[in-house]
Amino acid sequence: MDLGPTILDLVGLQHPSEYQGVSLSPLMRGEPFDHPPVYAEQTYTQGNPYVRPERNLLRETKKYMVITQDGFKLIYYRNSYCFELFNLKNDPKEERNLYDHLPDKASEMRELVGR
């Protein structure tokens, strides 16, 4: 999502305001740069193959995610109202949920995902 704004910036043009990305050209020039958090939403449908489709409960699952510059990722599962927090720098495979162990970071990330 940052490719378009970066290319336009490099050729001296403003990117349209509806673009969600940011120009990465400061990184290319070796300037300090803090990327804004990255947000994602995923909706998927799953069903039990042994149950008729009209009898499946909660077939659609929604989850929202945010990843910050410091490498933390929060996942919010809307259907079950539960959270997972991972430090992607130390745990790139997302095997250790830190949500209950880092309450201050979890609170900060919940506020971001709520935006």
Side-chain angles (χ1 to χ4, degrees):
M1 100 173 99
D2 296 331
L3 186 60
T6 302
I7 292 170
L8 291 173
D9 186 30
L10 290 172
V11 298
L13 298 173
Q14 290 282 354
H15 65 273
S17 61
E18 57 270 7
Y19 277 28
Q20 294 181 11
V22 297
S23 174
L24 300 177
S25 60
L27 284 174
M28 300 166 94
R29 294 189 295 266
E31 298 171 0
F33 179 76
D34 284 327
H35 197 285
V38 175
Y39 296 89
E41 176 182 338
Q42 181 181 16
T43 302
Y44 55 93
T45 303
Q46 61 187 30
N48 185 328
Y50 304 106
V51 178
R52 293 193 322 228
E54 69 274 6
R55 295 203 179 246
N56 271 316
L57 300 176
L58 296 175
R59 293 186 66 228
E60 184 176 276
T61 301
K62 275 193 180 283
K63 66 181 180 179
Y64 303 95
M65 294 158 279
V66 61
I67 302 172
T68 58
Q69 183 70 20
D70 59 357
F72 280 88
K73 176 181 182 180
L74 180 79
I75 303 171
Y76 165 53
Y77 295 91
R78 188 184 81 175
N79 296 46
S80 57
Y81 192 74
C82 65
F83 295 88
E84 292 179 323
L85 176 67
F86 300 101
N87 181 337
L88 298 178
K89 290 179 181 176
N90 298 334
D91 182 18
K93 293 182 180 180
E94 300 178 15
E95 296 175 326
R96 186 161 189 263
N97 183 359
L98 301 173
Y99 186 79
D100 292 329
H101 302 285
L102 299 174
D104 292 339
K105 189 64 173 177
S107 176
E108 172 191 327
M109 299 286 288
R110 271 195 327 267
E111 188 174 316
L112 286 175
V113 85
R115 292 183 188 174

